[in-house]
């Protein structure tokens, strides 16, 4: 099958045809590092990590860029409230974000540029827009520079809006603008209220870049004027991505061929955010669940579907993953993480992934393969092929149990606990085997019952006894 992706710009699911055969360039808008990351924040990272994993498994050479916004109004305001330098806050929160991504096995991008490291590229792009007649310095002496939205005839094309129907841009005061919808490309330094460290020299005076210009400049630097896929959360469609598209094309760059947007995670029907006070930080969730369980929960939903977060739903997801792990323990197969290719995958799984990253259907194939493998084991058959297919599918989804990413934090503690239980159960099984050899069946049965009472199931096989945790809910 041909990979098909939903393109926000056309509002259609389109055949994916890369600009250069065999290669894919992806730019994803990362986070503004102003506070601890919550579950809603990391969904985009997980979703686009699945995309790049699937593209690589399909044979593409992928260049994946995900930026970080480390300077903006919110960062300055929060740093001032906390009485510390803005760059210290941004650095600390960036490290928290890195830890959250690592805990969920989100692979590092090819490169992760910071906005503050690319101010010269932004200044150069702003100057080009002024020269082309699409931007202008404010006449109020503020040092601001604005994009002239009425100079670009197709402004609003991504979200299909008319300029006259849009509200005023809220990124700067209206006083210096020709039109209230014009948005800031450069913000003049406010010496009375902003630290000097939050400003850079420019032809229009000291200042800092606006939010939108940074992504256009960084995408162009690392992927060129035209690239394949631009991604981000659905809340970025307007104004951020609309403005990126307009200023990039006004500067003469074809920009992205496809636009992909993941949906929100909501609580009580509202977008999960700090401002609503309903956020769930990653460290707090990982005190209750393993990272692999949280990732499975996020992957099991389609990236364009809104997810209503609840711990009950996360419990169900964790139980579903444990069923898969229990089968893999019984099947006793091992593969190397990061080696999955299309040829090793069930056709139904590949078809689901090719259908706009249909992870719900793909996860259903995983469970169906687990059920078939369990049937083979129950009949005394060989489930090795089923086990290898399950591991290959999990690998594509970033859920391979042997991935080194799961060796840290709560997952490391879980692995240590498993090793300890394995040693204890192994000792009891040796005692049971000795009792059976001595025809002391009463002792052997007592040991078996003791193990079962601890919530552990024993299966006698030709190669020796195997143990798994007893299932507390329905079985695959």
């Amino acid at each position: 099958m041909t990979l098909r992706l939903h393109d926000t710009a056309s509002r259609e699911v389109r055949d994916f045809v890369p600009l250069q055969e065999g290669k894919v360039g992806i730019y994803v808008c990362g986070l503004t590092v102003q506070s601890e990351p919550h579950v809603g924040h990391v969904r985009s990272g997980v979703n686009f990590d699945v995309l790049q994993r699937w593209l690589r498994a399909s044979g593409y050479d992928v260049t994946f860029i995900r930026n970080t916004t480390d300077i903006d109004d919110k960062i300055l305001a929060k740093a001032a409230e906390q009485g510390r330098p803005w760059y210290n806050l941004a650095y600390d929160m960036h490290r928290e974000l890195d830890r959250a991504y690592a805990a969920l096995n989100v692979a590092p991008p090819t490169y992760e540029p910071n906005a503050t490291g690319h101010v010269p590229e932004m200044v150069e792009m702003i100057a080009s827009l002024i020269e082309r007649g699409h931007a202008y310095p404010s006449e109020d002496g503020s040092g601001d520079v604005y994009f002239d939205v009425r100079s670009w005839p197709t402004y609003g094309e991504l979200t299909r809006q008319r300029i006259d129907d849009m509200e005023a841009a809220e990124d700067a005061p209206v006083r210096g603008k020709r039109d209230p919808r014009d948005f800031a490309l450069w913000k003049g330094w406010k010496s009375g209220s902003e630290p000097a460290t939050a400003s850079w020299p420019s032809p229009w005076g000291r200042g800092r870049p606006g939010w939108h210009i940074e992504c256009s400049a960084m995408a162009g630097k690392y992927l060129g004027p035209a690239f394949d896929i631009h991604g981000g959360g659905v809340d970025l469609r307007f104004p951020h991505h609309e403005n990126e598209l307009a200023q990039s094309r006004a500067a003469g760059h074809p920009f992205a061929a496809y636009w992909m947007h993941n949906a929100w995670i909501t609580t009580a029907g509202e977008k999960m955010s700090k401002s609503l006070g309903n956020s769930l930080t990653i460290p707090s969730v990982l005190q209750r669940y393993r990272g692999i369980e949280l990732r499975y929960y996020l992957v099991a939903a389609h990236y364009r579907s809104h997810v209503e977060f609840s711990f009950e739903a996360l419990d169900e997801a964790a139980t579903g993953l444990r069923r898969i792990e229990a089968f893999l323990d019984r099947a006793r197969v091992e593969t190397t993480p990061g080696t999955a290719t299309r040829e090793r995958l069930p056709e139904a799984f590949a078809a689901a992934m090719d259908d706009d990253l249909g992870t719900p259907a793909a996860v259903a194939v995983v469970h169906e393969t687990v059920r078939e493998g369990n049937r083979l084991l129950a009949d005394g058959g060989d489930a090795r092929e089923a086990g290898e297919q399950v591991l290959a599918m999990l690998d594509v989804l970033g859920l391979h149990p042997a991935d080194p990413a799961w060796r840290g934090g709560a997952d490391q503690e879980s692995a240590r606990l498993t090793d300890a239980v394995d040693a204890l159960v192994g000792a009891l099984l040796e005692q049971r085997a000795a009792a059976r050899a001595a025809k002391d069946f009463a002792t052997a049965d007592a040991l078996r019952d003791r193990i079962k009472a601890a919530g552990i199931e024993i299966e006698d096989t030709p190669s020796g006894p195997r143990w798994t945790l007893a299932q507390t809910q329905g079985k695959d």
Side-chain angles (χ1 to χ4, degrees):
M1 284 185 63
T2 299
L3 173 62
R4 292 171 57 78
L5 298 172
H6 184 271
D7 174 31
T8 303
S10 65
R11 299 187 182 182
E12 295 177 344
V13 176
R14 299 169 50 201
D15 288 354
F16 175 68
V17 180
L19 298 177
Q20 185 176 352
E21 186 176 356
K23 296 186 177 183
V24 181
I26 305 173
Y27 185 92
V28 173
C29 283
L31 295 180
T32 299
V33 283
Q34 57 170 310
S35 56
E36 283 187 309
H38 57 61
V39 176
H41 283 143
V42 299
R43 185 183 189 188
S44 179
V46 171
N47 289 157
F48 287 100
D49 183 54
V50 171
L51 171 64
Q52 61 93 9
R53 287 173 185 268
W54 179 235
L55 288 168
R56 288 194 168 101
S58 299
Y60 288 102
D61 178 8
V62 179
T63 301
F64 185 83
I65 307 298
R66 185 186 64 225
N67 80 296
T68 299
T69 297
D70 57 346
I71 179 70
D72 83 334
D73 293 343
K74 292 179 180 179
I75 291 175
L76 293 178
K78 289 198 174 186
E81 290 173 4
Q82 297 174 23
R84 59 168 163 167
W86 62 271
Y87 49 82
N88 175 259
L89 171 64
Y91 178 67
D92 277 355
M93 293 303 102
H94 196 169
R95 293 182 68 191
E96 289 289 337
L97 178 60
D98 287 343
R99 282 190 281 267
Y101 281 146
L104 296 181
N105 196 20
V106 175
T110 308
Y111 189 64
E112 186 175 30
N114 289 326
T116 55
H118 297 78
V119 174
E121 290 86 351
M122 300 177 208
V123 169
E124 183 179 355
M125 190 170 189
I126 294 169
S128 174
L129 287 168
I130 293 174
E131 182 180 353
R132 288 168 171 261
H134 297 298
Y136 59 93
S138 172
E139 296 180 358
D140 64 358
S142 63
D144 295 346
V145 179
Y146 298 108
F147 183 86
D148 184 351
V149 296
R150 292 193 182 275
S151 75
W152 189 245
T154 59
Y155 183 70
E157 63 181 307
L158 180 64
T159 52
R160 300 190 181 184
Q161 298 184 76
R162 296 174 60 252
I163 292 178
D164 291 337
D165 295 334
M166 298 178 186
E167 296 182 356
E170 298 179 349
D171 56 357
V174 174
R175 65 176 186 273
K177 299 180 179 182
R178 296 174 183 172
D179 187 292
R181 292 91 167 173
D182 292 348
F183 57 88
L185 300 172
W186 187 258
K187 295 187 174 186
W189 176 45
K190 302 175 183 63
S191 59
S193 59
E194 295 180 351
T197 54
S199 66
W200 289 260
S202 83
W204 318 286
R206 292 195 67 84
R208 55 188 170 86
W211 178 31
H212 314 298
I213 193 67
E214 65 179 65
C215 288
S216 290
M218 290 187 284
K221 178 167 184 174
Y222 295 103
L223 296 175
F227 56 95
D228 296 293
I229 299 171
H230 194 312
V234 67
D235 51 318
L236 298 180
R237 289 178 302 178
F238 188 88
H240 188 47
H241 288 169
E242 189 73 73
N243 293 349
E244 278 187 63
L245 177 61
Q247 67 198 8
S248 296
R249 291 193 172 169
H253 302 170
F255 212 51
Y258 297 79
W259 291 82
M260 295 179 65
H261 293 93
N262 64 277
W264 291 337
I265 291 182
T266 58
T267 54
E270 297 183 90
K271 174 191 172 186
M272 186 179 290
S273 67
K274 286 284 184 182
S275 61
L276 290 175
N278 59 6
S279 60
L280 292 162
T281 63
I282 299 303
S284 64
V285 174
L286 293 183
Q287 289 179 0
R288 299 178 57 175
Y289 301 90
R290 295 179 296 153
I292 194 172
E293 291 168 347
L294 179 55
R295 181 177 175 111
Y296 176 86
Y297 170 72
L298 295 172
V299 165
H302 194 274
Y303 78 93
R304 289 196 292 118
S305 298
H306 288 297
V307 174
E308 179 69 15
F309 182 87
S310 72
F311 284 112
E312 291 77 12
L314 191 44
D315 284 337
E316 292 179 5
T319 299
L321 177 65
R322 289 167 192 159
R323 293 177 191 144
I324 298 171
E325 292 173 320
F327 162 68
L328 292 172
D329 286 342
R330 298 178 67 214
R332 298 295 175 100
V333 293
E334 295 182 4
T335 63
T336 303
T339 60
T341 60
R342 291 182 70 106
E343 293 72 26
R344 296 173 57 192
L345 297 163
E347 291 184 7
F349 179 90
M353 295 297 289
D354 277 341
D355 186 13
D356 193 28
L357 293 186
T359 55
V363 169
V365 177
V366 174
H367 283 283
E368 176 56 36
T369 308
V370 167
R371 283 191 287 270
E372 179 59 29
N374 280 330
R375 283 193 287 268
L376 287 171
L377 290 173
D379 294 339
D382 185 357
R384 182 170 300 277
E385 182 179 356
E388 290 178 349
Q389 287 185 334
V390 168
L391 285 174
M393 291 185 281
L394 293 179
D395 199 7
V396 168
L397 300 175
L399 294 167
H400 196 301
D403 197 300
W406 308 126
R407 295 177 185 170
D411 294 288
Q412 185 177 38
E413 289 301 310
S414 178
R416 290 174 59 193
L417 181 60
T418 299
D419 290 342
V421 172
D422 192 40
L424 294 172
V425 173
L428 291 173
L429 288 175
E430 288 177 4
Q431 295 176 34
R432 176 174 173 254
R436 295 177 70 179
K439 300 188 183 301
D440 184 0
F441 298 113
T443 298
D445 290 345
L447 287 168
R448 181 199 59 202
D449 293 342
R450 184 177 178 184
I451 295 172
K452 186 175 182 180
I456 295 170
E457 293 180 346
I458 301 299
E459 178 186 10
D460 291 310
T461 73
S463 59
R466 295 174 180 172
W467 71 268
T468 57
L469 292 176
Q471 298 294 331
T472 57
Q473 297 186 26
K475 292 185 178 180
D476 279 313

